Amino acid sequence: MGLLLAGVAVWLTRIEDWRSYTPLAGGGAVGEETGYAHEEKPSGIIRWLTTVDHKDIGMLYGAYALIAFSVGGIMVMLMRAELIAPATDVIGAEFYNSLLTSHGITMLFLFGTPILSAFGNYFVPLLIGADDMAFPRINAIAFWLLPPGALLVWGGFFTAPIASLDIVPAQTAWTMYTPLSAGVGAGTQANVGVDFMLLGLHLTGVSATIGAINFIATIFAERGPDVNWANLDMFSWTMLTQSGLILFAFPLLGSALIMLLLDRNFATTFFAVGEGGGPILWQHLFWFFGHPEVYILVLPPMGLVSLIIPKFSDRKLFGYKFVVYSTLAIGVLSFGVWAHHMFATGIDPRIQASFMAVSLAIAIPSAVKTFNWTTTMWGGNVKLTAPMLFCIGFVSNFIIGGVTGVFLASIPVNLVLHDTYYVVGHFHYIVMGAIGFAVFAGLYYWYPIFTGKMYQKKLAKAHFWLTMIGTNLTFFSMLFLGYLGMPRRYATYDFPLGPVNIITVFHQLATLGALIIFVGQVIWVWNFVQSWYEAPSMEDADPWSLKESGQFTQEWQWHERRTETAIADGGAGSESEAGES
């Protein structure tokens, strides 16, 4: 695999000799004027395989992430079918555990981080007035590490039907706790499918780290002359902070994965019971990455919401400096909260108290942001477009997810609710109810830029309401399941609590909510694809009337110049340019 990746890297650096729009001698260095034009790009599959244009790479990231989102969604629908009644045997416990493991990894590593990189690659250079990312070829390499990573993560599902290989999907859960994942001893996961998954995760971590370096270099060194730290947009601020977190968190995950692979394959004892570092070492290493990862995923969506809400409130973001400072505060504090995942492991109570204090303190900058978003809307002229509806949904879901997280930061409450469905409900209020909603807001807001067309607005609002209702029905039911004592990661259950099995009722409500979410996403996919192919091209470069409120920002100015050029050329190629320019 290493030789293959090295060969791909060499090929990518040499294939461009014949391409005039990215001179090989320039190397894509910081500050370089690339000056390439759409007409000079190769067409068809060659274009997408060799492109170093930040907009094309953003589209590749987006397509990859949405495929992963679909795969992860199908996985969870199968899991919810298994849980619709006690002792249901739709897919079986072992396959359920495999789906549980792959669903978490798919949504966090194959969808969450790449979809934010899609927005970042496409729009950060436009927002800051840069020609491209600082290192275009490295940017391409970062993306092309992801497809083999996904194939390795899902590799066990491809090999499972081949009985002679005896390779099945990993069943370790996404946290990969040792000794279960160490593969040494009775009852552990010794199959090669776990090694596939660990190698795939390692590739996604390398990709994220390379991308983070590129974002930092771009935002520091490539800003236009009229963009400074005082007027840098909030999305770029959050991408910069996220990139800093990635630089500190992902290399640690990579190191832990290598140690786990060595334990599994070369008889080392990093995580061996009673030897070396022991199983608790894995939890420390994993959660030192794992909790900053939550903020790696949620900070750019916060930036999207901070960018979009003012556009549809007809006023600037209230308290810009406080939003910036709270972003930086979250970045710093996020590395001091990891052990609140380990209150039940028996670590020193004095250490537990310090982590409880920081875990409670990190709620303050999040509350500052919520206050600023609410105040921006309160004093503005709110327009309930699809992007704005998803932003409002983000704020409301984020409040529920944040408040339920404060309870988990308290040691005595955590000990009661640890490893119950309450944790699942809280976590999904953040990753689906907040991050997912912000992603949809960004996709709808910038849809006219990356397609040159407009989606069907009624279908977009139907998508919002179905997703909002389904999200709250599913995850609020999980909060109640946690209070009733239902443990997470179980493929079956049977807790008779009176004449009506209330556990079954809440599981069925959660499954109904998941089905409603699924229907909403089908509408969304249909709307986006059908509008992309059949909607008429827009000649108005200001579909949201941003000029009226003085918020016609740089990415829209770029879009206007592109639109005017297409009209001046007689409209030729305007439809194809929607995805190419």
Side-chain angles (χ1 to χ4, degrees):
M1 178 60 71
L3 290 174
L4 172 63
L5 293 174
V8 171
V10 171
W11 180 72
L12 281 173
T13 59
R14 303 308 305 177
I15 194 68
E16 302 170 81
D17 284 339
W18 52 273
R19 296 171 67 198
S20 60
Y21 67 88
T22 307
L24 187 65
V30 175
E32 176 188 60
E33 290 283 337
T34 53
Y36 44 84
H38 143 70
E39 288 79 11
E40 298 177 48
K41 293 182 181 180
S43 61
I45 190 67
I46 296 298
R47 168 194 166 187
W48 295 104
L49 290 175
T50 64
T51 184
V52 293
D53 183 346
H54 70 96
K55 297 181 290 296
D56 286 350
I57 293 173
M59 298 290 280
L60 288 170
Y61 268 109
Y64 171 90
L66 295 179
I67 291 171
F69 183 70
S70 302
V71 172
I74 292 169
M75 288 176 176
V76 82
M77 291 306 298
L78 292 172
M79 291 161 59
R80 290 311 316 172
E82 180 73 20
L83 293 168
I84 199 167
T88 303
D89 194 17
V90 175
I91 58 176
E94 288 192 3
F95 192 56
Y96 178 93
N97 292 337
S98 299
L99 293 177
L100 176 75
T101 301
S102 293
H103 166 74
I105 291 173
T106 297
M107 289 306 204
L108 291 175
F109 296 96
L110 307 183
F111 166 70
T113 309
I115 193 65
L116 301 176
S117 295
F119 285 120
N121 271 278
Y122 200 111
F123 290 106
V124 165
L126 299 180
L127 286 164
I128 67 175
D131 293 324
D132 202 313
M133 296 291 286
F135 306 110
R137 290 192 188 88
I138 294 176
N139 200 28
I141 292 171
F143 169 75
W144 287 109
L145 288 172
L146 288 175
L151 292 176
L152 285 168
V153 169
W154 299 331
F157 292 99
F158 303 137
T159 56
I162 307 173
S164 60
L165 293 177
D166 195 25
I167 300 174
V168 296
Q171 301 177 33
T172 62
W174 78 277
T175 54
M176 299 165 283
Y177 278 173
T178 56
L180 175 63
S181 62
V184 179
T188 63
Q189 292 278 311
N191 79 83
V192 180
V194 179
D195 297 300
F196 283 174
M197 179 190 70
L198 297 176
L199 288 168
L201 273 178
H202 197 65
L203 285 182
T204 64
V206 173
S207 168
T209 305
I210 293 173
I213 294 169
N214 215 348
F215 278 119
I216 292 171
T218 301
I219 295 172
F220 267 89
E222 293 284 291
R223 297 194 312 275
D226 56 339
V227 179
N228 54 45
W229 296 116
N231 63 10
L232 184 66
D233 66 279
M234 279 308 309
F235 180 61
S236 296
W237 267 115
T238 52
M239 286 300 297
L240 180 62
T241 308
Q242 181 217 43
S243 299
L245 296 183
I246 287 173
L247 281 187
F248 284 98
F250 268 89
L252 188 77
L253 174 67
S255 302
L257 291 174
I258 290 172
M259 285 189 278
L260 186 54
L261 283 166
L262 290 173
D263 273 14
R264 291 178 56 83
N265 296 284
F266 295 98
T268 56
T269 57
F270 290 110
F271 308 115
V273 177
E275 301 181 49
I280 294 297
L281 176 61
W282 171 263
Q283 291 198 36
H284 279 295
L285 293 175
F286 180 83
W287 287 118
F288 187 84
F289 150 82
H291 206 84
E293 165 68 0
V294 175
Y295 299 103
I296 287 169
L297 292 174
V298 82
L299 279 173
M302 287 176 168
L304 285 173
V305 170
S306 300
L307 186 77
I308 296 171
I309 283 179
K311 303 298 189 293
F312 299 102
S313 299
D314 283 347
R315 61 174 301 192
K316 292 185 177 181
L317 179 66
F318 179 84
Y320 168 86
K321 288 185 178 180
F322 287 97
V323 179
V324 172
Y325 294 149
S326 64
T327 298
L328 299 175
I330 288 173
V332 173
L333 291 172
S334 66
F335 285 100
V337 300
W338 82 86
H340 76 228
H341 294 271
M342 302 171 59
F343 286 158
T345 62
I347 58 177
D348 191 313
R350 293 166 295 180
I351 296 175
Q352 290 185 359
S354 66
F355 280 101
M356 180 178 76
V358 181
S359 299
L360 293 171
I362 203 170
I364 296 172
S366 298
V368 168
K369 289 180 182 294
T370 304
F371 170 80
N372 282 278
W373 296 325
T374 307
T375 307
T376 301
M377 290 186 284
W378 184 267
N381 177 28
V382 175
K383 301 172 184 175
L384 295 179
T385 61
M388 189 62 169
L389 285 173
F390 274 102
C391 286
I392 294 171
F394 170 97
V395 174
S396 93
N397 291 335
F398 182 71
I399 290 171
I400 298 173
V403 169
T404 52
V406 169
F407 283 98
L408 290 175
S410 171
I411 295 170
V413 178
N414 183 290
L415 292 174
V416 174
L417 297 175
H418 181 75
D419 257 351
T420 69
Y421 258 83
Y422 181 93
V423 180
V424 181
H426 150 71
F427 184 63
H428 282 78
Y429 258 111
I430 298 298
V431 295
M432 179 59 191
I435 297 170
F437 274 60
V439 166
F440 290 132
L443 288 172
Y444 281 115
Y445 174 61
W446 280 319
Y447 188 83
I449 288 184
F450 57 79
T451 67
K453 302 180 179 183
M454 180 56 77
Y455 54 82
Q456 299 179 58
K457 297 179 180 179
K458 288 185 178 179
L459 288 181
K461 291 186 177 181
H463 172 218
F464 165 75
W465 285 112
L466 287 170
T467 306
M468 187 68 178
I469 293 169
T471 294
N472 281 277
L473 181 59
T474 298
F475 305 131
F476 221 83
S477 298
M478 290 183 179
L479 294 177
F480 279 111
L481 284 169
Y483 279 125
L484 292 169
M486 174 69 197
R488 59 178 173 170
R489 305 190 184 107
Y490 275 48
T492 186
Y493 56 92
D494 188 13
F495 298 108
L497 299 176
V500 178
N501 191 334
I502 194 66
I503 296 288
T504 302
V505 171
F506 279 120
H507 268 300
Q508 291 172 344
L509 288 173
T511 301
L512 174 62
L515 183 61
I516 293 172
I517 295 173
F518 182 78
V519 172
Q521 307 328 300
V522 171
I523 292 173
W524 162 64
V525 171
W526 166 260
N527 188 9
F528 264 43
V529 174
Q530 192 267 347
S531 299
W532 197 327
Y533 279 97
E534 297 185 10
S537 297
M538 298 181 64
E539 294 185 0
D540 184 6
D542 185 17
W544 306 120
S545 302
L546 300 177
K547 291 180 180 178
E548 296 178 7
S549 59
Q551 299 192 73
F552 196 64
T553 45
Q554 296 214 45
E555 82 277 23
W556 291 103
Q557 295 170 23
W558 170 84
H559 177 57
E560 183 177 48
R561 293 192 297 271
R562 178 182 62 172
T563 304
E564 290 173 351
T565 301
I567 294 173
D569 290 341
S574 60
E575 290 191 12
S576 62
E577 281 187 52
E580 295 176 357
S581 297

